[in-house]
Amino acid sequence: MSGQPMFGQMMDRPLLISGLLEHAETTHPGTEIVSRRCEGDIHRYTMKEAAGRARRIANLLHRFGIEQGERIATLAWNGYRHYELYFGVSGYGAVLHTINPRLFADQLVYIINHAKDRWIFVDLTFVPLLESIREQIPQVEGFVVLCDEAHMPDTSLPNVHCYETLLAQEPDEFVWPEFDERCAASMCYTSGTTGNPKGVLYSHRSTVIHAMSSIGQEMLGLASTSCFLPVVPMFHVNAWGTPYSAAITGAKQVFPGPGMDGASLWELIEAEKPDLLLGVPTVWLMLLNHMDSIGKKLESVQNVIVGGSAAPLSMIRDFQEKHDAFLIHAWGMTEMSPIGTVNAHNIHMESLPLEERYQLQAKQGRPVYGIEMKIVDDDGHDLPRDGEARGRLLVRGPWIVSGYYRNEDRSSFIDGWFDTGDVATIDANNYLHIVDRSKDVIKSGGEWISSIDLENAAVGHPQLTECCVIAARHEKWAERPLLLCVRREGSQLTEQDVLDYLSDKVAKWWLPDAVVFVDSLPHTATGKLLKVNLRTEYENYLLEQA
Ligand code: ADP
């Protein structure tokens, strides 16, 4: 195109996290935030109080001599103190490093040193964890325990302070600084099933745009009338960005603290009546089991957002038929802030018979505006959006990682796209279906079998609590599926029972070559099946049986 560009005449105001908080304080001052605390009780306050305390945090960081861009870490459950830190730390201009306490000790040491965290704000629960690695993280200057004086633990941590005492000493006046919206606001490390975790550095701009795009009715569907319970942790991928979305919309938040089991969640749900729940499938399995055992219904809940791993059809059905709740399937990754696609109730579902609607809900949904996605073959050529072709899933957009923190590895970055490591199909309406992680898919005689689909079909059996499918070496077919299952207590289910159950649910050639019953299955720090070790352990299982 020839000629000079003509620019619009609009203000160029930076998109900053402090701006979200100022909006929340002035527009939704009375919005309630309810938290179950580590101390065991329930705490309530308003958005206005959260904003005042976030300013005290900024004053505290100033007194600590923290400079722009330096890292302040948290090791904490979902709760109001963590919420204040989200805004106080990033708003001040420092970088909030949320640490996943479920990482192995050597991974914790690695990421704390790699991020060069200056201070760590820690919940009571995780004080012993830090004590155990203290010697290996010498550059951390001090620790702040998230409690009041009465609950301060007797700890060997050096330079340790009480959060409430420190905050009480600070004024709640602070003028948020203005800086480039592309500055880093927070960071999160991937849980790294192989090798060291990799750091993803979110910017103010990416965080705000991600929040703005994900609140809509066919996305998270948040509004000032909503009340939501994020079980998805604030220590991993910013609880799917919901702390920020809540600041925009004024939705009430109910934080579960350390109580992620079915009974504790139900107690909170019954008391606070959230209409929306968010979390990974394993948490919902526990809640559904608990509800079955007490014979009650989740009356207030209208929607349950499920992501992190594929939601099984049986879960979609259980929420709908037992609890009148719609399961919104979503997909994303740490590298994507994390939301990529959401499958909320929409026009395509209106006229579908229930069973067909369930099938559609089992897909991971359509992209949030701002996310572009495509599938490619092994040579990088685009594949059609026909719902059939399976290929490597690439994405790009304003809240997708462009490089890892202090890490030279560029193998996932291809011509401006990020390779997700997932294999997927995309259909004519842009519905994404995750077939598998590329390293988990089973290549049987040149054809692919989805381990996810097989697992989800098997776990529908009422006597199985968890299932895992891995590729085992096979003389004729190169690889064949092997199914590892955990039986419900007291169950006498046999291999043949499982195969019979699966026979009308998957294609015949997908049926596992062997079913092995195990007592438990290993998980990653984010609650997903950890398949690497199982693959090594069972790699030769079929060859040995033959
Ligand atoms: P980690 O927790 O291991 O750091 P992420 O949380 O970033 O990793 O996980 C991202 C991956 O999780 C995706 O690439 C995909 O394989 C899987 N995943 C996330 N949501 C879904 C979903 N709804 N269905 C299937 N797989 C999913």
Side-chain angles (χ1 to χ4, degrees), residues 190-191 236 307-310 329-335 364 420 422 434 437 452 526 528:
T190 62
S191 42
H236 190 66
S309 308
H329 204 176
W331 165 85
M333 338 176 45
T334 308
E335 286 90 337
Q364 280 73 6
T420 61
D422 285 338
I434 299 288
R437 297 291 292 167
I452 297 185
T526 43
K528 296 174 197 187

Side-chain angles (χ1 to χ4, degrees), residues 107-239:
Q107 293 180 320
L108 286 174
V109 170
Y110 172 82
I111 68 169
I112 292 169
N113 289 329
H114 189 262
K116 299 202 175 98
D117 295 328
R118 276 193 67 181
W119 282 79
I120 302 183
F121 287 69
V122 55
D123 257 343
L124 282 167
T125 324
F126 306 120
V127 170
L129 186 59
L130 281 182
E131 286 171 343
S132 71
I133 58 167
R134 167 65 195 134
E135 299 295 315
Q136 293 150 272
I137 49 171
Q139 97 290 343
V140 176
E141 279 162 50
F143 303 86
V144 179
V145 185
L146 297 168
C147 65
D148 59 15
E149 219 43 77
H151 291 88
M152 269 304 274
D154 187 12
T155 168
S156 61
L157 287 177
N159 198 16
V160 66
H161 298 267
C162 166
Y163 181 73
E164 291 300 338
T165 308
L166 288 180
L167 280 205
Q169 290 163 1
E170 300 298 335
D172 72 357
E173 303 283 298
F174 183 83
V175 180
W176 297 111
E178 268 193 21
F179 41 78
D180 192 317
E181 63 182 13
R182 292 166 301 174
C183 288
S186 64
M187 71 190 306
C188 180
Y189 281 75
T190 62
S191 42
T193 46
T194 51
N196 279 322
K198 290 183 268 187
V200 179
L201 208 49
Y202 308 111
S203 69
H204 283 259
R205 174 186 155 80
S206 69
T207 306
V208 174
I209 304 182
H210 174 267
M212 287 179 358
S213 288
S214 57
I215 53 182
Q217 197 187 335
E218 290 189 11
M219 299 297 153
L220 304 185
L222 291 180
S224 63
T225 46
S226 338
C227 169
F228 72 95
L229 178 92
V231 186
V232 46
M234 291 167 84
F235 58 66
H236 190 66
V237 221
N238 303 328

Side-chain angles (χ1 to χ4, degrees), residues 27-28 31-32 221-227 246 248-252 275:
T27 314
H28 315 293
T31 293
E32 224 187 351
L222 291 180
S224 63
T225 46
S226 338
C227 169
I248 297 179
T249 56
K252 172 178 167 183
D275 52 66

Side-chain angles (χ1 to χ4, degrees), residues 422-486:
D422 285 338
V423 174
T425 66
I426 301 177
D427 73 13
N429 289 311
N430 227 5
Y431 278 94
L432 174 74
H433 178 222
I434 299 288
V435 174
D436 223 330
R437 297 291 292 167
S438 55
K439 55 186 187 302
D440 293 338
V441 78
I442 296 136
K443 293 168 187 112
S444 168
E447 299 282 348
W448 287 358
I449 299 174
S450 157
S451 69
I452 297 185
D453 286 356
L454 256 183
E455 281 157 12
N456 283 345
V459 86
H461 194 295
Q463 287 187 48
L464 294 177
T465 56
E466 201 171 19
C467 298
C468 174
V469 171
I470 51 170
R473 286 172 52 205
H474 191 277
E475 237 168 44
K476 182 167 173 203
W477 303 108
E479 290 179 359
R480 288 293 301 159
L482 175 72
L483 172 61
L484 304 167
C485 308
V486 182

